[in-house]
Amino acid sequence: MASTSAPRGGGEVPSTSGIMTTSASMLCSENQSLIVEMRKVFNMMKEIAVDLERENESAKVNELENTVAELLATYEDCTYQTSAIESVGNTYQPGAELTDFKKLLNDEFMKFKGNKSSAPQNHPLLRQFREAVWNVHHSGQPMPGEEHEDIVMTSTQSTILNITCPLSGKPITELAEPVCGVDCKHVYEKKAIMGYISINAQAKCPVTGCPRYLRQDKVVSDPLLLVEIEEMRSMSKENMTATLVEDFTMTDDEEED
């Protein structure tokens, strides 16, 4: 229990809620680093699977897919845990009785997990894995049992909400220093958004329709954001390559006719 007496060296004693917020922030940062590393591992496993599929090593690809599903289950739990820690850090207030923090965190964890009905087998990242493998030999064709429109929708799923910076007009993949709002998650060019905030007393998010207001300390460089932007670049290159292959194939067919 925190003491309410003044420290010997003078100054204010940090409040219990303040200590909680700081501790929660540190734990969230550590979890975020772990999430980023897992995302990198996923991308590496996807690339390995594509190489194996090119060599027609289907059995090894299937084994790798099962491992990816296990990784994504852990990945999801880690994101729920981060959300739970953040929630407790932001809302906790000490009471008259001792707090069972293990139960408090577990209750928050289950609340976030309960709000997400996605099973690992239906996770968008696993769909990306399967599509990358499928496209090795069937580029431009729908996967078995699925409409082509569904493939386009799921292969481009991302947590990035806007594809261009609302201030600079540049595509997200071309930003020199991408940052995002802590509250609204929209992405901006750092120099542009910081200048915008500095000259607006109440800086509303410049994305049309967003009601959130921005502060300089609430616009951050998110490590996971950088990974997702790199994924967008990679997917864009893959789609361009697939289009070129399809165009060349069509040209060859036309010449034969």
Side-chain angles (χ1 to χ4, degrees):
M1 195 173 220
S3 171
T4 57
S5 61
R8 292 181 182 178
E12 296 182 358
V13 177
S15 66
T16 303
S17 58
I19 294 173
M20 278 294 299
T21 301
T22 301
S23 299
S25 178
M26 292 174 62
L27 286 172
C28 285
S29 179
E30 292 176 3
N31 262 22
Q32 186 78 340
S33 297
L34 179 59
I35 290 170
V36 168
E37 290 307 311
M38 283 193 285
R39 192 68 170 257
K40 290 178 180 178
V41 170
F42 164 78
N43 288 331
M44 180 180 66
M45 294 171 77
K46 183 173 66 172
E47 292 172 3
I48 292 172
V50 167
D51 289 340
L52 289 172
E53 183 67 13
R54 289 196 182 104
E55 299 297 325
N56 296 313
E57 297 281 359
S58 298
K60 292 181 179 179
V61 171
N62 291 335
E63 290 178 11
L64 199 55
E65 180 177 321
N66 292 333
T67 304
V68 167
E70 294 176 4
L71 173 66
L72 289 177
T74 304
Y75 175 91
E76 286 291 273
D77 281 350
C78 197
T79 60
Y80 301 145
Q81 193 69 52
T82 301
S83 297
I85 294 170
E86 186 177 33
S87 176
V88 170
N90 290 336
T91 61
Y92 173 76
Q93 293 295 331
E97 299 180 359
L98 291 176
T99 302
D100 185 343
F101 285 106
K102 183 177 181 179
K103 182 179 184 305
L104 183 61
L105 282 170
N106 186 64
D107 288 346
E108 285 295 302
F109 172 83
M110 294 307 298
K111 183 176 72 175
F112 283 104
K113 188 170 184 175
N115 290 335
K116 309 288 185 181
S117 58
S118 175
Q121 290 297 324
N122 299 322
H123 196 286
L125 291 178
L126 187 55
R127 294 289 295 275
Q128 286 185 19
F129 176 93
R130 290 168 174 163
E131 288 162 10
V133 171
W134 172 259
N135 287 336
V136 170
H137 298 302
H138 308 88
S139 180
Q141 301 176 31
M143 291 199 297
E146 296 184 346
E147 296 295 331
H148 185 266
E149 289 78 11
D150 294 333
I151 292 179
V152 172
M153 287 173 59
T154 56
S155 65
T156 57
Q157 283 188 12
S158 170
T159 59
I160 297 177
L161 301 179
N162 53 303
I163 60 174
T164 60
C165 171
L167 295 174
S168 68
K170 292 181 180 179
I172 298 302
T173 52
E174 296 179 12
L175 299 184
E177 292 185 89
V179 293
C180 65
V182 171
D183 296 324
C184 67
K185 305 302 181 184
H186 287 122
V187 182
Y188 326 93
E189 177 70 82
K190 182 177 180 179
K191 184 177 180 180
I193 195 64
M194 291 305 181
Y196 171 79
I197 294 173
S198 67
I199 61 175
N200 288 278
Q202 287 190 316
K204 191 174 182 180
C205 174
V207 172
T208 303
C210 182
R212 300 286 187 174
Y213 287 87
L214 304 174
R215 298 197 327 242
Q216 289 190 350
D217 62 335
K218 290 290 187 177
V219 177
V220 299
S221 177
D222 185 342
L224 185 56
L225 171 65
L226 301 180
V227 172
E228 292 187 330
I229 289 176
E230 185 56 40
E231 288 177 2
M232 288 179 67
R233 291 194 188 101
S234 177
M235 289 176 65
S236 178
K237 291 177 182 177
E238 289 174 7
N239 292 337
M240 186 177 296
T241 300
T243 301
L244 289 172
V245 170
E246 186 174 351
D247 289 344
F248 279 125
T249 302
M250 291 178 64
T251 301
D252 291 340
D253 291 341
E254 290 172 356
E255 289 177 353
E256 290 177 5
D257 292 340

Tab-separated table of all heavy atoms in Angstrom, residues 39 42 46 68 72 75 123-130 157 231:
chain	number	residue	atom	x	y	z
A	39	ARG	N	5.134	-10.475	-35.409
A	39	ARG	CA	4.682	-10.096	-36.753
A	39	ARG	C	5.810	-10.293	-37.761
A	39	ARG	O	5.579	-10.757	-38.883
A	39	ARG	CB	4.221	-8.634	-36.727
A	39	ARG	CG	3.460	-8.183	-37.950
A	39	ARG	CD	2.089	-8.857	-38.055
A	39	ARG	NE	1.314	-8.227	-39.090
A	39	ARG	CZ	0.324	-7.367	-38.870
A	39	ARG	NH1	-0.042	-7.069	-37.631
A	39	ARG	NH2	-0.349	-6.835	-39.862
A	42	PHE	N	6.101	-13.957	-38.442
A	42	PHE	CA	5.034	-14.376	-39.349
A	42	PHE	C	5.414	-14.087	-40.804
A	42	PHE	O	5.255	-14.938	-41.687
A	42	PHE	CB	3.726	-13.663	-39.007
A	42	PHE	CG	2.699	-13.735	-40.102
A	42	PHE	CD1	1.960	-14.886	-40.297
A	42	PHE	CD2	2.504	-12.660	-40.965
A	42	PHE	CE1	1.044	-14.975	-41.329
A	42	PHE	CE2	1.589	-12.742	-41.993
A	42	PHE	CZ	0.848	-13.903	-42.178
A	46	LYS	N	5.937	-16.758	-43.829
A	46	LYS	CA	5.184	-16.665	-45.087
A	46	LYS	C	6.133	-16.739	-46.277
A	46	LYS	O	5.849	-17.426	-47.261
A	46	LYS	CB	4.379	-15.367	-45.110
A	46	LYS	CG	3.510	-15.204	-46.354
A	46	LYS	CD	2.598	-13.990	-46.251
A	46	LYS	CE	3.371	-12.693	-46.232
A	46	LYS	NZ	2.483	-11.503	-46.321
A	68	VAL	N	2.042	-21.511	-38.040
A	68	VAL	CA	1.586	-20.132	-38.137
A	68	VAL	C	0.297	-19.935	-37.357
A	68	VAL	O	0.126	-18.929	-36.657
A	68	VAL	CB	1.382	-19.729	-39.619
A	68	VAL	CG1	0.602	-18.425	-39.730
A	68	VAL	CG2	2.727	-19.581	-40.313
A	72	LEU	N	-0.282	-17.305	-34.327
A	72	LEU	CA	-1.313	-16.275	-34.351
A	72	LEU	C	-2.201	-16.329	-33.116
A	72	LEU	O	-2.706	-15.300	-32.658
A	72	LEU	CB	-2.159	-16.406	-35.623
A	72	LEU	CG	-1.436	-16.015	-36.919
A	72	LEU	CD1	-2.342	-16.245	-38.122
A	72	LEU	CD2	-0.996	-14.557	-36.875
A	75	TYR	N	-0.186	-14.544	-30.671
A	75	TYR	CA	-0.177	-13.139	-31.103
A	75	TYR	C	-1.447	-12.435	-30.639
A	75	TYR	O	-1.399	-11.326	-30.095
A	75	TYR	CB	-0.052	-13.112	-32.623
A	75	TYR	CG	-0.137	-11.748	-33.265
A	75	TYR	CD1	1.011	-10.991	-33.485
A	75	TYR	CD2	-1.361	-11.229	-33.700
A	75	TYR	CE1	0.942	-9.750	-34.106
A	75	TYR	CE2	-1.438	-9.994	-34.317
A	75	TYR	CZ	-0.292	-9.262	-34.517
A	75	TYR	OH	-0.376	-8.031	-35.141
A	123	HIS	N	-8.153	-16.023	-39.023
A	123	HIS	CA	-7.428	-14.770	-38.828
A	123	HIS	C	-6.977	-14.202	-40.170
A	123	HIS	O	-6.516	-14.940	-41.050
A	123	HIS	CB	-6.203	-15.019	-37.935
A	123	HIS	CG	-5.611	-13.783	-37.354
A	123	HIS	ND1	-4.865	-12.895	-38.110
A	123	HIS	CD2	-5.661	-13.262	-36.102
A	123	HIS	CE1	-4.472	-11.901	-37.344
A	123	HIS	NE2	-4.943	-12.092	-36.121
A	124	PRO	N	-7.118	-12.873	-40.370
A	124	PRO	CA	-6.704	-12.257	-41.643
A	124	PRO	C	-5.261	-12.553	-42.017
A	124	PRO	O	-4.946	-12.707	-43.203
A	124	PRO	CB	-6.909	-10.761	-41.390
A	124	PRO	CG	-7.977	-10.696	-40.344
A	124	PRO	CD	-7.748	-11.885	-39.474
A	125	LEU	N	-4.371	-12.639	-41.020
A	125	LEU	CA	-2.970	-12.912	-41.341
A	125	LEU	C	-2.775	-14.340	-41.855
A	125	LEU	O	-1.908	-14.596	-42.691
A	125	LEU	CB	-2.088	-12.669	-40.112
A	125	LEU	CG	-1.941	-11.214	-39.678
A	125	LEU	CD1	-1.083	-11.108	-38.426
A	125	LEU	CD2	-1.337	-10.367	-40.802
A	126	LEU	N	-3.583	-15.278	-41.350
A	126	LEU	CA	-3.497	-16.647	-41.862
A	126	LEU	C	-4.057	-16.709	-43.280
A	126	LEU	O	-3.551	-17.454	-44.126
A	126	LEU	CB	-4.259	-17.609	-40.950
A	126	LEU	CG	-4.113	-19.100	-41.285
A	126	LEU	CD1	-2.643	-19.507	-41.325
A	126	LEU	CD2	-4.863	-19.960	-40.274
A	127	ARG	N	-5.083	-15.896	-43.535
A	127	ARG	CA	-5.601	-15.809	-44.898
A	127	ARG	C	-4.523	-15.260	-45.839
A	127	ARG	O	-4.355	-15.732	-46.960
A	127	ARG	CB	-6.835	-14.898	-44.936
A	127	ARG	CG	-8.039	-15.433	-44.171
A	127	ARG	CD	-8.656	-16.619	-44.874
A	127	ARG	NE	-9.216	-16.250	-46.165
A	127	ARG	CZ	-10.438	-15.747	-46.337
A	127	ARG	NH1	-11.223	-15.520	-45.297
A	127	ARG	NH2	-10.882	-15.478	-47.551
A	128	GLN	N	-3.775	-14.280	-45.375
A	128	GLN	CA	-2.675	-13.739	-46.183
A	128	GLN	C	-1.639	-14.813	-46.487
A	128	GLN	O	-1.112	-14.903	-47.599
A	128	GLN	CB	-2.018	-12.566	-45.460
A	128	GLN	CG	-2.824	-11.285	-45.453
A	128	GLN	CD	-2.054	-10.143	-44.816
A	128	GLN	OE1	-0.832	-10.187	-44.698
A	128	GLN	NE2	-2.764	-9.112	-44.389
A	129	PHE	N	-1.340	-15.620	-45.463
A	129	PHE	CA	-0.379	-16.716	-45.623
A	129	PHE	C	-0.855	-17.674	-46.716
A	129	PHE	O	-0.110	-18.023	-47.638
A	129	PHE	CB	-0.226	-17.448	-44.291
A	129	PHE	CG	0.672	-18.657	-44.334
A	129	PHE	CD1	2.015	-18.551	-44.019
A	129	PHE	CD2	0.163	-19.905	-44.677
A	129	PHE	CE1	2.844	-19.663	-44.053
A	129	PHE	CE2	0.983	-21.021	-44.718
A	129	PHE	CZ	2.324	-20.902	-44.404
A	130	ARG	N	-2.123	-18.100	-46.617
A	130	ARG	CA	-2.660	-19.057	-47.584
A	130	ARG	C	-2.710	-18.472	-48.996
A	130	ARG	O	-2.427	-19.160	-49.977
A	130	ARG	CB	-4.067	-19.481	-47.149
A	130	ARG	CG	-4.079	-20.356	-45.900
A	130	ARG	CD	-5.473	-20.503	-45.366
A	130	ARG	NE	-5.537	-21.443	-44.241
A	130	ARG	CZ	-6.551	-21.514	-43.386
A	130	ARG	NH1	-7.585	-20.685	-43.535
A	130	ARG	NH2	-6.542	-22.383	-42.400
A	157	GLN	N	-6.420	-6.707	-45.912
A	157	GLN	CA	-6.841	-6.274	-44.588
A	157	GLN	C	-5.656	-5.761	-43.784
A	157	GLN	O	-4.578	-6.326	-43.802
A	157	GLN	CB	-7.510	-7.423	-43.826
A	157	GLN	CG	-8.933	-7.672	-44.292
A	157	GLN	CD	-9.634	-8.677	-43.413
A	157	GLN	OE1	-9.151	-9.014	-42.342
A	157	GLN	NE2	-10.774	-9.153	-43.850
A	231	GLU	N	4.633	-4.147	-44.776
A	231	GLU	CA	3.808	-5.204	-45.357
A	231	GLU	C	3.007	-4.668	-46.542
A	231	GLU	O	2.839	-5.355	-47.559
A	231	GLU	CB	2.857	-5.776	-44.302
A	231	GLU	CG	3.541	-6.629	-43.258
A	231	GLU	CD	2.577	-7.111	-42.181
A	231	GLU	OE1	1.375	-6.803	-42.287
A	231	GLU	OE2	3.023	-7.789	-41.248
